[in-house]
Amino acid sequence: MIDGLIKDKIDPLWEAMATPLVKAGWSPNQVTFAGLVLVVLVSLGYVWHGSPLIYGLALGVAFAFDALDGAVARRRDMRSLSGGYFDAVVDRYQELAVLGTLAYVHDVWILALLAFSGSVLTSYAKARAAIEMPVSNENWPDFFERMERVIYLCLVLVLAGLLPAYKDGIVVAGLAGFALLSHATALQRARRAWGMLKVEDQSRK
């Protein structure tokens, strides 16, 4: 939702930030993969140092780097269907790395599973509809999309780092909120997709 509202304003900023990568000759897929590596590395770092504040800030940087792949693709005129697919798959692995790390460090496996399943189902609800009929990638103004989930996780970790006495409780509550919001968004998307497919069914009669 946020991305859709501010896309026209934020895209020029991403493209400006991507200048060093463009000059260095990086491809969009290389940037995407580098973003995954950064997320995995800072997640392994959290297992070692245990500071939610450092993890939250480091994830913010890693996810920002990951967002530059689209800017590089536009700047180098290298947009492609395969690149968009690769980026979507990597996004899921990034979320798996982060939620798996939180599950391991804070022993919240069930909450992490609920959070990740909600994230995957949010993506699947649109992807499955696209198998049945052509759909626009722009008309899905859902509440808890990828950008919202990233910002939410980073804020939860920063708050946990600023209030160390309540660290575990904040992470647990944060993951519970993540799970609730992600599944609500998955159902929101499924409801929209169902309606679109019903209209398509009627048009084919």
Side-chain angles (χ1 to χ4, degrees):
M1 185 173 69
I2 293 176
D3 187 48
L5 292 174
I6 64 174
K7 183 176 178 61
D8 292 341
K9 296 182 176 65
I10 201 170
D11 277 355
L13 296 176
W14 289 126
E15 289 175 15
M17 293 171 61
T19 298
L21 298 174
V22 172
K23 289 182 176 179
W26 283 49
S27 72
N29 285 347
Q30 286 174 326
V31 178
T32 300
F33 184 73
L36 173 62
V37 171
L38 281 176
V39 169
V40 170
L41 288 177
V42 299
S43 297
L44 290 174
Y46 185 47
V47 174
W48 173 66
H49 60 68
S51 169
L53 179 60
I54 294 174
Y55 189 33
L57 295 175
L59 273 181
V61 174
F63 280 127
F65 186 89
D66 174 63
L68 295 175
D69 52 5
V72 170
R74 291 189 295 273
R75 289 279 303 274
R76 299 194 62 193
D77 194 21
M78 295 178 67
R79 285 171 286 192
S80 66
L81 297 176
S82 60
Y85 179 82
F86 180 61
D87 181 51
V89 172
V90 167
D91 285 348
R92 304 290 81 74
Y93 274 107
Q94 287 179 338
E95 290 190 70
L96 178 60
V98 174
L99 293 170
T101 298
L102 294 176
Y104 177 78
V105 173
H106 298 276
D107 195 23
V108 285
W109 294 97
I110 293 177
L111 279 177
L113 174 61
L114 289 171
F116 184 65
S117 61
S119 174
V120 171
L121 285 168
T122 296
S123 177
Y124 181 77
K126 179 167 66 173
R128 188 64 182 84
I131 294 175
E132 302 294 339
M133 60 174 285
V135 299
S136 169
N137 200 38
E138 306 298 327
N139 299 322
W140 298 79
D142 303 301
F143 179 69
F144 205 54
E145 296 181 316
R146 162 79 171 170
M147 183 175 288
E148 286 86 351
R149 295 196 300 268
V150 167
I151 294 172
Y152 179 94
L153 282 175
C154 291
L155 289 177
V156 166
L157 287 164
V158 168
L159 181 62
L162 294 175
L163 300 170
Y166 306 98
K167 175 177 67 175
D168 290 329
I170 290 171
V171 171
V172 168
L175 279 180
F178 186 108
L180 179 64
L181 291 170
S182 62
H183 280 281
T185 302
L187 292 173
Q188 179 188 18
R189 277 195 169 178
R191 181 175 180 271
R192 182 183 296 109
W194 175 267
M196 293 167 61
L197 292 169
K198 292 288 285 184
V199 171
E200 182 69 14
D201 285 337
Q202 292 297 323
S203 71
R204 294 181 181 181
K205 289 183 178 179

